Amino acid sequence: MFLAFRESVATALETALAANDYPTDDLGIEEPPEDVEAVFASSVAFRLAERAEAPPPKVAAELADAIDPDDYDYLDRVDVQGPYLNFLPDESYFADTLEAGGDAAFGRLPDRDTSVVVEHTSANPTGPVHVGRARNPIIGDAVANALDYAGYDVERHYYVNDAGRQMAVFTWAYERFDEEDLPEPARDRAEYRMVRYYRKGNAFLEEADPEEVEEAEAEIEAILQGLEAGDEETYERVGEVVDTVLGGMKECLARLPADFDEFVKETRFMRDGSTDDVVARLKELDGAVYEDDAWQLTFDDIEKNLVFLRADDTSLYTTRDLAHHEWKFDNYDRAVTVLGEDHKLQAEQLGETLELLGNDTDRLSNVIYSYVNLPEGKMSTRRGTGVQLDDLLDEAIDRAREEVEDRMDDRLRDDDLDEADVERIARQVGIGAVRYDIVSKQPTKGITFEWERALDFEAQSAPYVQYVHARCCGILDEARRASESASGDEPRADEADELEPVADTSVLTTDSERDLIRSLARFPGVVESAASDLEPHQVATYTRELADRFNAFYRECPVLTADDAETRAARLALVAASKHAVANALDILGVEAPESM
RNA sequence: GGGCGCUUAGCUCAGUCUGGACAGAGUACUUGGCUUCGGACCAAGCUGCCGCGGGUUCAAAUCCUGCAGCGCCCA
């Protein structure tokens, strides 16, 4: 309704402007401050004042007069408040919102028939996922979810850098060292076992006799050359290491959960010839030069050249990534990449080069986030410094479990939570809190990881929002049981929230009811905006507002014990809509919505 | 040295792209509220040179510019 109403307002304004011979390129539509009753407002009168040779309030009045609300859907009236035009919705706006909210898919936008590939995480398979990287899957997954809700056909990809020096070093180390010479793994899972070889290998290259290091470097070089030459045996050796480590990392990411439709390997674009093809086309470009023993590409806007082919004819990471991105363009309408700020220059060069190669780079967007650092500095898989994501999640779950147990005695509701429930709630709340904390902030802001802060369940956190969902479920559950015992019929098997299809909003008269329904109406607009800006934190900001509004409503308005049947039915519909909005908003954020907690 | 990003209440953050109605939340601190649908809740109070200086504008946290601090990147 929100989006349809915005359309109406835009059309109304445009028509009124045109009728008065004003330009229609700037409508100045905005959402007014909270204490103004309107859903939309326009500040256009400010800008027209000079041209009209009249003060803004007068222009605003003139425009308001030119609009007949009857001509536009959902528009009840246009108020003039000083220089502002305020657009107020009619009752059908609220009624339609309540009806739409009854659908479990509330907030999902119509199919756009447009495919998007979201690439995220793409961490080199060198070892356990640490917290420094954790922002990527959490933001990436939420971006993908937001696009999905906004009606795009979304594919989630993890690009696997299996052709670089890191993997050659890893493969060499894995074959070179014996397990009995390694320390115990921190955790009994593939990537924790495997990373020991990688660390040992790197330490060896730094500390061993120069002669031995030289020998090792020759073996590493041989692996790289083997990959470049398309040698099958080399692929298999490297592939074993890559797949094993990646297998463990997948398990870790699945705990968030962050799942992928496809793991796209870099070597794929070496083997299918597309990297060679890219190289050939790059050489033909005007900006291509051979300098300092390498083929490079110069740019107009970027100072730094892009080296795309070494003297020994080996390709570089970015060269292969160019082939990768052209493959994306061939298979998807749009491509979104979530990457750390350290890759920003690379990404700019990549975009420029794709453009020079004749691609339409408007189809490509990047979401860039700042790294999570420890108070004492950077995290590193190679050096073994940092906090592992697994440890953070375990700790979060442990603390959440303590909370659940502490609160057990205070619970008003006697729904007898058993051991399995406690464990479920601990997991939902613990992991939810970690994700919410990360996804609710602008990605460009730096985060310094601190245990206490990351695991704060108070504050504007996931549990606060999750609690609203559980409350809604509790009320709807009560309502269903009451209706079953009253009717004496067979228990209905369908959803509790389908109980009361009647949505007569005219009985919802208190401020808290109106505020809540207003917030509910905005939800599809929030989804739209979060998806088009690729900013899932907008959804997190919204969940807080919605939760606030719901709690205020809950306090003011008894639902099950409402004065009359109509009010009860309408309030139940409000609860059902709230439940759907909260559940779906949390779903976008990748946070579970518990039915009880 | 050059490029990019960040800087808003004691603390953690929205708001900045697209300038517009008195700059908002939470937390902390001070109060008050459970025989009533779930108190992980609600209500009231307190909290600001929006990093600093200049500019554009009827209007600047928001745009431009110089500077500082922090982060990232570049040989």
Side-chain angles (χ1 to χ4, degrees):
Chain A
M1 302 333 106
F2 181 83
L3 294 170
F5 187 34
R6 196 169 62 192
E7 278 303 304
S8 282
V9 169
T11 313
L13 253 179
E14 226 172 314
T15 310
L17 287 168
N20 285 281
D21 262 347
Y22 293 127
T24 56
D25 53 328
D26 175 13
L27 303 178
I29 295 177
E30 56 192 75
E31 291 182 49
E34 263 187 54
D35 52 342
V36 174
E37 208 195 338
V39 169
F40 295 106
S42 172
S43 58
V44 72
F46 279 111
R47 266 100 59 199
L48 297 173
E50 197 176 350
R51 182 193 167 102
E53 292 177 357
K58 203 177 164 202
V59 178
E62 183 187 14
L63 290 171
D65 281 343
I67 296 171
D68 180 0
D70 291 345
D71 294 344
Y72 305 97
D73 286 345
Y74 298 128
L75 184 58
D76 182 53
R77 63 175 208 271
V78 185
D79 280 358
V80 175
Q81 208 166 340
Y84 292 96
L85 288 157
N86 287 328
F87 295 84
L88 289 90
D90 62 18
E91 200 58 27
S92 70
Y93 176 77
F94 298 104
D96 284 3
T97 294
L98 207 50
E99 198 190 324
D103 188 342
F106 180 49
R108 277 200 182 272
L109 306 183
D111 186 31
R112 292 174 197 253
D113 196 28
T114 304
S115 60
V116 187
V117 54
V118 177
E119 179 198 329
H120 69 84
T121 308
S122 301
N124 291 352
T126 52
V129 179
H130 60 62
V131 172
R133 286 174 179 161
R135 221 172 168 176
N136 202 318
I138 291 171
I139 293 170
D141 195 50
V143 165
N145 292 336
L147 289 168
D148 180 30
Y149 268 82
Y152 291 93
D153 302 320
V154 178
E155 289 259 321
R156 297 146 203 260
H157 286 190
Y158 185 122
Y159 186 53
V160 185
N161 310 138
D162 61 340
R165 178 181 157 84
Q166 285 185 320
M167 295 324 298
V169 169
F170 206 146
T171 304
W172 157 78
Y174 179 61
E175 294 169 352
R176 167 77 168 71
F177 299 106
D178 289 326
E179 175 151 29
E180 54 207 46
D181 297 331
L182 301 172
E184 283 295 302
R187 211 173 264 255
D188 187 26
R189 216 170 55 207
E191 79 276 37
Y192 288 89
R193 291 192 293 269
M194 293 294 285
V195 75
R196 297 174 300 162
Y197 294 97
Y198 183 63
R199 289 184 184 140
K200 177 116 181 163
N202 276 294
F204 181 91
L205 293 176
E206 277 172 30
E207 297 157 10
D209 292 340
E211 226 169 87
E212 285 183 296
V213 170
E214 198 177 318
E215 211 172 291
E217 288 292 354
E219 286 179 47
I220 292 163
E221 187 56 32
I223 293 171
L224 283 169
Q225 290 293 344
L227 288 177
E228 194 73 32
D231 176 55
E232 204 57 42
E233 193 217 326
T234 308
Y235 275 118
E236 276 171 31
R237 285 163 61 200
V238 176
E240 184 191 342
V241 172
V242 169
D243 292 341
T244 308
V245 177
L246 203 54
M249 293 168 77
K250 278 184 210 177
E251 283 188 51
C252 175
L253 293 169
R255 298 182 65 191
L256 282 172
D259 292 311
F260 296 88
D261 297 300
E262 203 172 333
F263 287 78
V264 181
K265 285 184 177 174
E266 190 179 355
T267 47
R268 165 179 183 162
F269 304 102
M270 300 168 75
R271 308 183 80 178
D272 69 4
S274 57
T275 302
D276 293 340
D277 173 65
V278 164
V279 167
R281 285 158 56 215
L282 287 171
K283 283 180 178 173
E284 296 299 314
L285 292 176
D286 289 342
V289 293
Y290 190 84
E291 262 173 26
D292 302 328
D293 293 331
W295 276 95
Q296 312 192 7
L297 187 63
T298 57
F299 301 97
D300 293 338
D301 322 337
I302 307 177
E303 270 188 51
K304 175 81 189 131
N305 288 358
L306 172 72
V307 176
F308 63 88
L309 195 69
R310 296 192 187 92
D312 61 2
D313 265 2
T314 54
S315 61
L316 288 91
Y317 170 82
T318 317
T319 324
R320 303 184 286 260
D321 207 18
L322 285 166
H324 171 216
H325 276 81
E326 291 203 322
W327 170 80
K328 287 186 186 176
F329 286 148
D330 284 344
N331 290 284
Y332 304 93
D333 299 318
R334 286 182 58 189
V336 174
T337 318
V338 180
L339 69 174
E341 61 179 340
D342 49 336
H343 291 107
K344 201 171 173 181
L345 175 65
Q346 247 178 41
E348 278 166 16
Q349 290 186 327
L350 181 82
E352 282 287 317
T353 309
L354 285 166
E355 188 76 38
L356 291 172
L357 287 171
N359 298 283
D360 172 16
T361 49
D362 288 346
R363 294 160 63 196
L364 176 66
S365 347
N366 294 318
V367 175
I368 291 170
Y369 66 93
S370 297
Y371 254 45
V372 178
N373 286 319
L374 294 171
E376 58 269 27
K378 280 194 184 182
M379 304 192 200
S380 157
T381 300
R382 186 165 51 79
R383 295 196 303 271
T385 60
V387 175
Q388 306 307 336
L389 179 57
D390 280 308
D391 294 337
L392 173 60
L393 296 181
D394 284 350
E395 183 70 23
I397 293 168
D398 286 345
R399 294 201 192 188
R401 190 184 300 111
E402 275 174 42
E403 287 286 328
V404 177
E405 282 163 356
D406 284 353
R407 290 164 196 270
M408 214 47 139
D409 300 335
D410 303 336
R411 284 171 59 91
L412 289 176
R413 198 173 174 80
D414 55 341
D415 52 0
D416 295 327
L417 298 179
D418 59 23
E419 267 311 299
D421 285 317
V422 172
E423 206 48 45
R424 166 185 62 79
I425 296 164
R427 189 179 50 75
Q428 290 176 319
V429 168
I431 293 180
V434 169
R435 281 189 81 132
Y436 193 91
D437 182 57
I438 288 177
V439 81
S440 60
K441 290 169 185 158
Q442 281 191 62
T444 45
K445 302 216 177 184
I447 297 181
T448 300
F449 178 83
E450 286 162 70
W451 281 104
E452 290 311 317
R453 196 156 285 152
L455 298 178
D456 186 3
F457 296 154
E458 305 292 320
Q460 302 174 324
S461 66
Y464 175 72
V465 180
Q466 290 174 314
Y467 188 64
V468 167
H469 185 261
R471 266 183 159 172
C472 290
C473 290
I475 295 169
L476 294 168
D477 197 47
E478 280 297 320
R480 195 195 51 197
R481 274 190 281 180
S483 90
E484 276 166 11
S485 59
S487 65
D489 292 339
E490 287 295 302
R492 292 172 44 158
D494 53 355
E495 285 279 301
D497 42 61
E498 288 172 14
L499 257 185
E500 310 285 349
V502 197
D504 179 5
T505 51
S506 65
V507 296
L508 302 174
T509 53
T510 66
D511 286 349
S512 63
E513 289 167 310
R514 288 284 148 170
D515 286 346
L516 176 57
I517 197 165
R518 248 174 238 280
S519 287
L520 287 168
R522 281 184 53 222
F523 182 44
V526 171
V527 172
E528 216 279 326
S529 171
S532 72
D533 298 344
L534 304 173
E535 289 185 350
H537 78 269
Q538 291 183 21
V539 177
T541 304
Y542 172 73
T543 58
R544 282 195 289 260
E545 176 202 305
L546 183 61
D548 281 345
R549 296 282 175 90
F550 180 83
N551 282 325
F553 156 76
Y554 175 85
R555 170 167 174 86
E556 308 264 321
C557 305
V559 177
L560 298 174
T561 54
D563 291 338
D564 55 82
E566 288 73 28
T567 307
R568 184 174 183 274
R571 286 181 181 167
L572 269 174
L574 210 42
V575 174
S578 301
K579 178 194 148 173
H580 294 141
V582 169
N584 292 340
L586 287 177
D587 192 34
I588 290 173
L589 302 176
V591 174
E592 287 194 46
E595 307 226 327
S596 65
M597 62 187 276

